[in-house]
Amino acid sequence: EKVCPVGCIDFTQAAQEFTIHAGAILLATGYELTPTAAKEEYGAGQLPNVVSGLLIERLLAPTGPYGHVLRPSDGKEPDSIAYVQCAGSRDKSLGIEYCSRICCMYAIKQAMLLSGALPLADITIYYMDIRTFGKGYEQFYQNARAMGIEFVKGKVARINEDDDHNPVLRVELIDDGSRVVERQHDLIVLSVGMVPAYNPQKLYSVPIAGDDGFVKIPAPNLSPSVTDRPGIFVSGAAAGPMDIVDSIVLAGAAAAETAAYLEENRRQFPSNGRPAITKKETELAYA
């Protein structure tokens, strides 16, 4: 039975549609993660000790469910942990050919935290390219190497498991003459990527950029939050994959562009303040 002791919640409420008349629209629809089970050859969803970076983030959190990093199959503290990069990005077979930008950095961050939580554990990151694009990010990567985290350039072909549910990955070692080997680990973490959370074309007729599904920005270097539709702006990962720092910067740009647009329309229509976009473009229906 649903009960609110102070009567703040009305559990009898039903969904309803209503209209908002606005002078501008700011799309901040966020993102979704590539499904962990997207690549069947990696065994996620079937192999219990092949997990996503989001699960490791939860296990590393001070408020995590166990207070320790434990592998799902038997609750054991892993002695060997491997990260598989580009497990949901830069992959034609998934239709996600772009780089998600955040994967290298969150894998390196988690690896450093795991090194502190499990000092005796061996931590390996299998990568195609390490992309440390932001300010101070390259030094962060070098610090991880200095801590003893192993970086192996190679493309993981598939992941199986042995009789004890230890993941065994098959990988081509690029820096070792493209030699193909199999390596066993206690736990494997898939660095999944970012995909759009929403298609703005359905309601707002805002163009998307090619096949990636993110909002198209005509002049990303000059006006990174301005879309092709007057009065409709974009912020954060709705425009493309980005980390927290870039999301904050773009949010500021979007707020400035939106305010400038509203002010310009107020000057053009001082009597009623109506913007230069039609009523149809500014009606939002929520369910």
Side-chain angles (χ1 to χ4, degrees), residues 198-250:
Y198 180 75
N199 183 359
Q201 281 187 315
K202 294 181 178 180
L203 184 59
Y204 307 105
S205 299
V206 176
I208 57 176
D211 297 328
D212 64 17
F214 293 99
V215 177
K216 180 182 178 182
I217 306 299
N221 294 327
L222 295 176
S223 302
S225 61
V226 177
T227 71
D228 278 335
R229 297 291 303 278
I232 299 182
F233 304 90
V234 67
S235 177
M242 65 183 66
D243 61 6
I244 295 173
V245 175
D246 286 346
S247 295
I248 294 173
V249 173
L250 187 57

Side-chain angles (χ1 to χ4, degrees), residues 52 60 80 92 98 103 138 150 195 197 212 256 258-259 276:
S52 70
L60 285 168
S80 176
K92 286 186 177 182
Y98 54 84
C103 315
E138 177 65 20
E150 183 184 11
V195 294
D212 64 17
T258 304

Side-chain angles (χ1 to χ4, degrees), residues 1 14 17 23 35 41 63 66 81-84 105 118 128 158 162 173 184 189 201 233-234 255 258 273 280:
E1 183 179 357
E17 293 186 358
E41 57 267 39
T63 57
Y66 309 120
I81 304 171
Y83 278 79
V84 176
M105 291 307 298
L118 302 170
M128 292 194 295
R158 66 173 181 265
D162 61 18
L173 304 179
Q184 176 187 303
V189 186
Q201 281 187 315
F233 304 90
V234 67
T258 304
K280 181 178 181 181

Side-chain angles (χ1 to χ4, degrees), residues 6 22 32 41 64 68 86 116 125 133 135 138-139 144 161 168 190 207 212 215 223 227 240-241 247 257 273 283:
V6 294
E32 297 287 348
E41 57 267 39
H68 298 280
C86 300
I125 296 180
F133 58 89
K135 182 179 180 180
E138 177 65 20
Q139 185 60 50
E161 66 177 7
V168 179
L190 301 182
D212 64 17
V215 177
S223 302
T227 71
S247 295
E257 291 280 7
E283 287 188 348

Side-chain angles (χ1 to χ4, degrees), residues 33 51-59 106 110 189-190 192:
L33 292 175
V51 300
S52 70
L54 189 60
L55 176 61
I56 296 298
E57 194 75 26
R58 179 66 177 137
L59 294 178
Y106 80 62
Q110 290 183 0
V189 186
L190 301 182
V192 294

